[in-house]
Amino acid sequence: MRFRWQESSLVVDAPAKLNLYLGVRGRRSDGYHELETVMVSIGLFDTLRLTPAPPGVLEFSCSSRHAASDALPDSEQNLVVRAARLLIDAANPRCGAAIHLTKRIPVASGLAGGSTDAAAALVGLNALWKTGLTREQLHRAAARLGSDVNFFLDSNPLAVCTGRGEIIQSRVLRGPLHFVVVRPGSGLSTADVFRALDVSQLESPSDSTPLLQALGDGRLGQAARRLRNDLQPAAMGLNPQIARALAALSRGRTYGRMMTGSGSACYGLCASSRHARSLEAQLKAEFGGHAWAVRAAV
Ligand code: C5P
């Protein structure tokens, strides 16, 4: 998350994430699934502009910078507005806010666009309103908003996330990682993908330790062989375009490739930023402009 003041407005850049490892450990009694996942934040950002407004006023507007056709949920549903309401209920600030969201992260893609926007709203409004919520209070609010929101609160680019995804252990990212991300034609609902998952069919996976070791040692080929996503087969059953995206990443000679989160976006781990940028150009032509060369970096 990156912050800057522009006159009285606080502008927050909210990054997308990729799941380099997503192991599903089983279904829980609350209907969620127990996960072990490794997430990295990447340089593809939504932007929130938070401007002080009179007490009681909470305005929300949104503009989209990409052509993906999926609509945002309406503003009451939108996680940004829900995050602001949680903060108002918790801290009763003496002023309101006008919030403008510039969307660049495609929705329904497994890139956690809604979750990062919610985290940016929590942290940004906490600063704008000087509400003084502690890190623990922000984490509790984040977990109420969604399973992926907590990862973004601490702005550390690499973490192992467990529970339903909301328990975060930050890890050191030793060097930059280069990816190309491609989003095939249509998105997927997270709930639909988890519903399509047959937990009895999952192989018991090794944990994420070998992947983290390979990343830590800069052995990209080894790391690529350890990429994992237990949701990928279920998502591919719902959206045949995912296979097309993975095949294109394979032709592009990426070290390894995988779907992120519950899809439908997929990424390839690249040798360099140059490799990622050259693939971006090819994939943009094939996937209607929905490809991005990105970096995960400290
Ligand atoms: O937590 P979040 O609102 O992002 O989750 C969306 C849906 O994805 C949940 O309602 C649930 O159906 C599914 N989910 C799950 N297990 C998780 C995370 C999400 O089953 N660990």
Side-chain angles (χ1 to χ4, degrees):
M1 224 182 273
R2 299 187 308 214
F3 301 87
R4 61 191 179 276
W5 288 95
Q6 283 181 355
E7 299 174 357
S8 63
S9 300
L10 180 57
V11 179
V12 190
D13 291 325
K17 60 84 176 154
L18 299 176
N19 298 80
L20 303 186
Y21 177 101
L22 196 164
V24 179
R25 302 290 181 245
R27 197 198 299 257
R28 311 180 348 168
S29 55
D30 62 5
Y32 284 88
H33 293 75
E34 195 67 18
L35 304 182
E36 176 184 350
T37 181
V38 175
M39 300 216 242
V40 282
S41 57
I42 53 169
L44 171 63
F45 296 95
D46 284 346
T47 299
L48 267 82
R49 172 179 288 272
L50 309 170
T51 306
V57 173
L58 186 60
E59 285 172 13
F60 176 78
S61 57
C62 179
S63 51
S64 181
R65 288 283 177 88
H66 68 88
S69 55
D70 315 64
L72 265 193
D74 68 38
S75 60
E76 278 304 306
Q77 295 272 305
N78 191 287
L79 281 175
V80 170
V81 176
R82 288 181 48 207
R85 294 245 157 84
L86 273 185
L87 209 58
I88 291 169
D89 291 346
N92 196 18
R94 278 194 224 104
C95 69
I99 305 173
H100 185 78
L101 170 62
T102 304
K103 223 37 224 163
R104 296 183 197 83
I105 305 171
V107 301
S109 298
L111 296 163
S115 301
T116 193
D117 297 343
L122 282 178
V123 177
L125 290 172
N126 195 38
L128 186 82
W129 288 337
K130 300 187 173 62
T131 31
L133 259 62
T134 62
R135 186 175 167 277
E136 286 67 32
Q137 286 172 309
L138 289 173
H139 269 282
R140 274 201 294 280
R144 289 178 61 187
L145 291 165
S147 306
D148 283 346
V149 182
N150 296 74
F151 166 69
F152 295 104
L153 285 184
D154 298 329
S155 294
N156 191 64
L158 177 68
V160 181
C161 311
T162 52
R164 59 184 169 88
E166 88 287 17
I167 302 169
I168 312 300
Q169 289 171 267
S170 293
R171 295 297 166 95
V172 177
L173 182 62
R174 303 226 174 261
L177 296 172
H178 301 282
F179 299 96
V180 64
V181 179
V182 58
R183 205 282 205 162
S186 54
L188 281 172
S189 133
T190 304
D192 287 351
V193 175
F194 273 103
R195 215 173 290 123
L197 175 74
D198 182 354
V199 283
S200 68
Q201 294 296 309
L202 293 171
E203 315 162 23
S204 74
S206 65
D207 66 13
S208 61
T209 312
L211 168 72
L212 290 165
Q213 271 166 357
L215 287 177
D217 299 344
R219 286 176 290 128
L220 288 189
Q222 284 285 335
R225 280 193 284 283
R226 306 290 186 175
L227 300 175
R228 183 180 181 101
N229 187 340
D230 285 348
L231 296 178
Q232 186 172 288
M236 287 174 83
L238 296 172
N239 185 342
Q241 295 292 313
I242 293 169
R244 213 182 117 221
L246 291 169
L249 290 166
S250 176
R251 284 195 303 278
R253 302 168 69 88
T254 48
Y255 273 122
R257 59 217 68 87
M258 195 56 64
M259 187 185 82
T260 177
S262 54
S264 59
C266 298
Y267 61 89
L269 178 58
C270 296
S272 62
S273 61
R274 202 166 150 203
H275 181 203
R277 281 200 311 274
S278 79
L279 281 182
E280 178 192 50
Q282 293 168 33
L283 292 166
K284 269 189 191 303
E286 195 177 338
F287 290 90
H290 301 149
W292 302 266
V294 294
R295 213 165 71 117
V298 272

